[in-house]
Amino acid sequence: MGDYFAVNVSSPNTPGLRSLQAREPLTRLLSELQNRNQGFAAPKPILLKIAPDLTDEALDDIIELAQETKIAGLIATNTTIARDMLTTEQRQVVAMGNEGLSGAPVRARSTEVLRYLRRGLPATFPLIGVGGVTDAESALEKLDAGASIVQVYSGLVFAGPTLPAHVLCVD
């Protein structure tokens, strides 16, 4: 079994899932998961993965809920449904569909969300920075924004299995 549970309520590719990021349903979900988890002899840390498309008000709710429900950390962020940062022709963007975008299109916003969360949470509260990490510079960007640790996903697709070695080679 894993070392922690990631509660992903932020995938834009699952219809209706993102509605669980609203305060009331998220409170119920995290409270129930925490209650069940604490019933185990060796409970695992629960981390919440959030969308980059949340408003500041929604992020404030996440900050409060993370502390109220005593989850172990936040993963900021998943893929984005935003398309405004794309330079691709509109007809091609429409043809892509509404699935979440990862990599470069999410990098700036995921870093903004991370920075916002860090300002609202204690310095010791774990934040996993993810979204657009493709090299040492982008990994450092996440750490500078307040990440405790950095996670990569699409970067591995674009840079290949040597990406972790390149990320660790910082001058």
Side-chain angles (χ1 to χ4, degrees):
M1 190 173 290
D3 294 324
Y4 68 91
F5 293 113
V7 180
N8 182 356
V9 292
S10 59
S11 173
N13 303 334
T14 306
L17 183 65
R18 283 189 167 194
S19 66
L20 291 176
Q21 292 178 113
R23 187 177 184 88
E24 187 178 318
L26 189 56
T27 300
R28 283 194 317 265
L29 176 64
L30 292 177
S31 296
E32 181 63 25
L33 290 173
Q34 283 288 54
N35 287 338
R36 289 178 184 235
N37 189 37
Q38 294 307 313
F40 292 113
K44 302 283 185 179
I46 294 176
L47 287 88
L48 176 67
K49 188 169 191 176
I50 62 169
D53 310 306
L54 296 172
T55 64
D56 287 354
E57 182 179 275
L59 291 173
D60 289 338
D61 284 346
I62 297 289
I63 289 168
E64 289 177 21
L65 288 174
Q67 295 174 97
E68 288 171 11
T69 60
K70 296 180 176 40
I71 60 172
L74 293 170
I75 304 170
T77 67
N78 204 332
T79 57
T80 183
I81 57 172
R83 301 291 193 263
D84 57 323
M85 80 299 277
L86 298 177
T87 57
T88 308
E89 283 185 37
Q90 185 61 29
R91 66 177 177 75
Q92 288 179 295
V93 171
V94 171
M96 281 188 245
N98 295 324
E99 287 78 23
L101 299 177
S102 61
V106 76
R107 179 177 168 179
R109 179 59 186 159
S110 68
T111 302
E112 288 173 17
V113 168
L114 188 58
R115 190 171 286 112
Y116 190 94
L117 294 171
R118 179 49 68 211
R119 282 194 305 263
L121 289 162
T124 56
F125 189 88
L127 293 176
I128 298 178
V130 60
V133 178
T134 57
D135 54 22
E137 178 186 341
S138 53
L140 281 173
E141 180 182 278
K142 300 296 183 211
L143 294 170
D144 289 344
S148 311
I149 191 169
V150 176
Q151 180 185 76
V152 297
Y153 54 101
S154 296
L156 289 170
V157 173
F158 299 117
T162 61
L163 176 62
H166 292 292
V167 166
L168 294 174
C169 292
V170 180
D171 295 331

